[in-house]
Amino acid sequence: MANGIRSSAGDILRLAFISRLLILTLIVLFRFLFDPYDTSGALNHPCHHLDGTPPPRSPLLWPRVAAAIEQSVVWDSVYFVRIAECGYEYEQTFAFLPLLPVATSLLSRSVLAPLVPVIGCRAVLALAGYVINNVAFIFAALYFYRLSVLILKDSKAAFLASVLFCFNPASVFYSSIYSESLYALFSLGGIYYVFSGSNTLAMLLLAVSGSARSNGVLNAGYFMFLTLVKVYEAVSQNRKIKVVKAIVDGTLYSICIFIPYVAFQAYGYSNICKGGSLDELRPWCKARIPHLYAFLQSHYWGVGFLRYFQVKQLPNFLLASPILTLAVCSISKYAKSLPQVVQALVVRQGNNPPFSNVTSTAKDGISFKNSKGDSVVKQRRRENADEVQKNLKPISQGTIFKTNQGYYNIMVLPFILHLGFLTFTAFFVMHVQVSTRFLSASPPIYWFASYTMLSPDRNLAKWRYLISTYFIAYILLGALLFSNFYPFT
């Protein structure tokens, strides 16, 4: 089994690499075949701290290559490259968190620095962004596979889900200068280590994810779930000290995850609000709890509850409808099965706590008990499981899944809760078209899709076709529209 997992992990790495190569090829091809809607992304005035005086520039060795790379910087990529080059010059630039710009700047000033005389500083920055995001995605795909195997305990479904992730509808953003790849790498990696028992490493990775995207702070919820499991076990064993320890540990880990995001907000406050008179202060600076990011999203991008519900935005709702439908289906199907999942779990464990298939490791994380153990206990569990399967009513979608196995697993619950919150936010609060990439790092979407596609149920043939068509169409559509500065998501 271990060799099979290693082999599949290697296959996922190869598929992730191929997927990035395919996306980059499509971007270059569509950029060559079609004229971009907007070419202003290539414009670049001198950094603000230079007082409008451009630095002296010597002739480039490969000016055409430099121009091609700079012209590929579109949409939010313009902000990320500009911040990497000049820092946070204006208030609205603080809407873009620092992980990607900092990483881009470091790589361009070190490993890729010799290319500056060849293609110029800005092109090197853009190239660094492409390298970072494509490499980060490959390792994010590996963590996605490992996490899927750990949670689903089904290597076949985990592999297909990982393939779907490699060729997901938001693929163009994972190969562009956007924060999706770094967020996916650190969030998926951090969650994997939460459930495999390396809490300190998990906390560090999840904290870093909060410096890539603001929703990274929500990953603290996985530590809260871990804490609830530990508290339940401790209470059932009447061990009060263990209850206190679990609560304290969970609280400290969760607070640490917020630190990078809060620190960046404090950095913005220091740069914008300090030193001016009260009359000159920006409105958010005067708030009781100044929150720069929330102000920027509302003031510059019009983000807010129901603010996007306008007739003219109907095309954007249609654009987001496939990912939202898939997310709602994955949530609702799991929610319908949850009572049976819990009932089956209780019966399977007999007199043991409902979470006794989950055990605390030496590092106070979560790991899954292996199948080795006393044969009598194993036989009793099999008999209990058979009894459950006979007594429980079949799940509403028929024979797609088996109760408490695969997608219908109690350990999927925190992922469903997380996805539910993100889906609500994407639909009611955000620019809805962003849903495609906003939800693209959520594992339940791919887990549900993989089991749907693996199901022998002929009634699901239409859904298998629709899922495949949706993924392929959005890969092609994204590469065509996004790369040529047309609206996509």
Side-chain angles (χ1 to χ4, degrees):
M1 179 65 179
N3 290 333
I5 291 177
R6 282 196 294 270
S7 176
S8 296
D11 292 338
I12 290 299
L13 284 174
R14 284 188 287 272
L15 279 172
F17 176 80
I18 292 171
S19 72
R20 294 312 94 196
L21 190 61
L22 171 64
I23 297 301
L24 290 172
T25 301
L26 288 174
I27 290 174
V28 173
L29 177 63
F30 288 139
R31 185 78 186 194
F32 176 77
L33 292 177
F34 301 96
D35 293 328
Y37 175 75
D38 188 348
T39 58
S40 63
L43 301 177
N44 188 43
H45 59 276
C47 295
H48 184 68
H49 66 267
L50 297 176
D51 297 324
T53 304
R57 296 181 60 180
S58 56
L60 302 177
L61 296 179
W62 294 353
R64 291 187 178 180
V65 174
I69 294 175
E70 291 191 32
Q71 289 169 7
S72 72
V73 179
V74 295
W75 293 108
D76 289 354
S77 302
V78 175
Y79 284 98
F80 284 115
V81 172
R82 179 72 181 185
I83 295 168
E85 181 181 11
C86 304
Y88 288 90
E89 300 174 291
Y90 310 105
E91 183 180 65
Q92 62 267 34
T93 60
F94 283 87
F96 301 90
L97 273 66
L99 182 60
L100 178 56
V102 169
T104 299
S105 180
L106 289 175
L107 184 61
S108 68
R109 296 171 187 270
S110 55
V111 178
L112 300 183
L115 292 178
V116 173
V118 181
I119 57 177
C121 179
R122 189 167 187 263
V124 169
L125 285 166
L127 183 62
Y130 284 119
V131 171
I132 289 169
N133 283 339
N134 284 275
V135 172
F137 177 83
I138 292 172
F139 287 100
L142 177 61
Y143 273 121
F144 183 96
Y145 174 72
R146 289 178 174 176
L147 177 64
S148 300
V149 171
L150 187 65
I151 299 298
L152 302 179
K153 300 181 285 290
D154 183 343
S155 58
K156 186 175 182 180
F159 183 82
L160 179 56
S162 302
V163 173
L164 292 173
F165 177 70
C166 287
F167 297 93
N168 74 73
S171 283
V172 67
F173 298 101
Y174 288 91
S175 285
S176 301
I177 310 174
Y178 268 59
S179 56
E180 270 66 24
S181 288
L182 286 176
Y183 170 76
L185 172 61
F186 288 104
S187 62
L188 293 172
I191 297 169
Y192 168 76
Y193 286 116
V194 168
F195 286 95
S196 60
S198 302
N199 282 356
T200 302
L201 180 56
M203 178 270 292
L204 291 173
L205 293 178
L206 294 179
V208 174
S209 76
S211 64
R213 294 188 60 85
S214 60
N215 54 297
V217 298
L218 297 177
N219 290 320
Y222 292 97
F223 271 113
M224 296 176 187
F225 177 78
L226 171 65
T227 301
L228 288 175
V229 171
K230 290 182 178 180
V231 168
Y232 182 90
E233 291 179 343
V235 169
S236 65
Q237 299 167 9
N238 197 26
R239 302 179 65 177
K240 296 180 180 179
I241 296 179
K242 197 172 181 180
V243 170
V244 175
K245 183 179 184 302
I247 294 175
V248 171
D249 288 348
T251 302
L252 290 177
Y253 281 127
S254 299
I255 290 174
C256 288
I257 291 174
F258 279 82
I259 289 176
Y261 177 79
V262 174
F264 183 65
Q265 300 307 298
Y267 171 74
Y269 181 87
S270 176
N271 275 264
I272 298 173
C273 302
K274 292 291 187 180
S277 65
L278 186 61
D279 294 335
E280 296 174 344
L281 289 180
R282 300 288 291 150
W284 69 272
C285 294
K286 304 174 185 179
R288 180 172 297 179
I289 302 178
H291 189 188
L292 173 57
Y293 185 81
F295 171 80
L296 297 178
Q297 290 293 323
S298 174
H299 182 72
Y300 290 100
W301 281 272
V303 172
F305 185 65
L306 299 182
R307 290 178 66 178
Y308 216 60
F309 278 59
Q310 305 172 33
V311 174
K312 65 180 181 180
Q313 300 299 345
L314 278 176
N316 287 324
F317 277 89
L318 290 175
L319 189 64
S321 61
I323 193 67
L324 290 173
T325 301
L326 197 54
V328 170
C329 286
S330 62
I331 295 168
S332 62
K333 292 296 184 182
Y334 184 87
K336 288 179 181 179
S337 72
L338 187 58
Q340 297 180 53
V341 172
V342 174
Q343 183 182 353
L345 186 63
V346 172
V347 176
R348 283 172 187 270
Q349 302 308 323
N351 295 325
N352 295 325
F355 287 100
S356 59
N357 66 320
V358 184
T359 181
S360 298
T361 66
K363 296 182 180 179
D364 292 329
I366 282 184
S367 66
F368 297 88
K369 290 182 177 179
N370 57 40
S371 58
K372 295 179 181 180
D374 185 83
S375 59
V376 176
V377 175
K378 292 169 66 178
Q379 178 64 27
R380 179 173 61 82
R381 289 182 177 179
R382 281 196 294 268
E383 291 173 356
N384 285 337
D386 293 338
E387 181 182 351
V388 169
Q389 293 299 331
K390 291 178 181 178
N391 295 333
L392 289 177
K393 295 179 180 179
I395 299 173
S396 57
Q397 61 270 46
T399 58
I400 306 175
F401 308 104
K402 295 180 179 179
T403 303
N404 206 38
Q405 296 180 10
Y407 185 69
Y408 290 129
N409 184 324
I410 195 65
M411 301 310 295
V412 177
L413 178 58
F415 297 90
I416 293 295
L417 295 175
H418 187 194
L419 175 59
F421 182 84
L422 294 180
T423 303
F424 177 89
T425 303
F427 186 75
F428 289 104
V429 180
M430 298 172 53
H431 291 188
V432 71
Q433 70 270 24
V434 179
S435 301
T436 302
R437 58 187 174 93
F438 184 64
L439 302 178
S440 62
S442 298
I445 289 176
Y446 307 100
W447 294 343
F448 177 79
S450 69
Y451 276 104
T452 301
M453 298 182 76
L454 288 172
S455 170
D457 192 342
R458 293 183 179 179
N459 295 326
L460 294 174
K462 177 180 69 175
W463 291 104
R464 290 192 287 270
Y465 172 78
L466 288 175
I467 290 172
S468 302
T469 302
Y470 164 51
F471 276 57
I472 294 171
Y474 269 56
I475 287 175
L476 296 174
L477 192 64
L480 170 62
L481 296 179
F482 177 83
S483 61
N484 285 296
F485 228 133
Y486 285 90
F488 177 50
T489 70

